[in-house]
Amino acid sequence: MNTGSNKPGEAAVAADRTETDEATAERALGSRAPEFIRARRALHLSWQVGVFIVGLAVVVAGIIMLPLPGPGWVVIFGGMAIWATEFVWAQLVLRWTKRKVTEAAQRALDPKVRRRNIILTSIGVVIIAVLAGIYLWKFGLEMPWKIKDQ
């Protein structure tokens, strides 16, 4: 997976890095647990298990919200953000997702793409209006479950 770095051979490890301009612009990968928790292995492991369980619960709630009413994708990305506070793989996935969303937003602002989207939306609205007009002409304002056998 591309992490967005232009440096060849950069490893995604939670190691201390020297502060450079690029490193200060983007947070280092790795655990963001408080120092006293990271200093004790058993406490850090239990912290990671807790973060994983909370993130899992949030992601599962988001997956449940996908077919049901609710902001499913927002909740899923919230769970990923919870995991990203502790796990490098989640930080990389979240970084990749942010980059792809930014690229899609930039493409959507392209005048040609905007024009195409406006044209397609207009065509869709016209089709829906024609279908609604045909329905009203044929059945009037009666709802489908009240239509008697003809």
Side-chain angles (χ1 to χ4, degrees):
M1 175 181 359
N2 185 1
T3 62
S5 175
N6 294 329
K7 294 181 182 178
E10 179 178 272
V13 294
D16 291 333
R17 294 197 275 183
T18 60
E19 294 294 322
T20 62
D21 293 335
E22 195 171 320
T24 56
E26 195 168 342
R27 274 186 110 158
L29 297 174
S31 176
R32 295 194 179 110
E35 186 60 40
F36 74 92
I37 290 177
R38 282 186 281 165
R40 293 162 185 84
R41 178 135 174 82
L43 188 57
H44 190 231
L45 186 61
S46 61
W47 177 273
Q48 285 182 326
V49 168
V51 167
F52 182 79
I53 290 172
V54 170
L56 183 65
V58 172
V59 168
V60 167
I63 291 171
I64 290 171
M65 283 186 218
L66 287 175
L68 299 175
W73 285 109
V74 174
V75 174
I76 290 172
F77 290 129
M80 288 297 297
I82 291 171
W83 278 338
T85 63
E86 197 59 34
F87 302 107
V88 173
W89 60 268
Q91 292 169 1
L92 295 175
V93 169
L94 206 56
R95 185 182 296 174
W96 177 84
T97 304
K98 285 179 185 178
R99 192 175 67 251
K100 291 298 180 182
V101 167
T102 303
E103 289 172 5
Q106 291 300 321
R107 279 195 312 268
L109 294 176
D110 181 27
K112 291 179 184 177
V113 174
R114 289 187 69 204
R115 192 175 314 118
R116 183 198 66 202
N117 289 346
I118 290 171
I119 290 170
L120 290 175
T121 302
S122 301
I123 291 170
V125 167
V126 167
I127 290 171
I128 290 172
V130 167
L131 291 174
I134 291 171
Y135 177 85
L136 288 174
W137 175 68
K138 184 163 175 81
F139 301 110
L141 287 176
E142 289 190 40
M143 293 296 138
W145 50 87
K146 293 183 179 178
I147 297 176
K148 298 187 178 29
D149 293 333
Q150 297 178 359

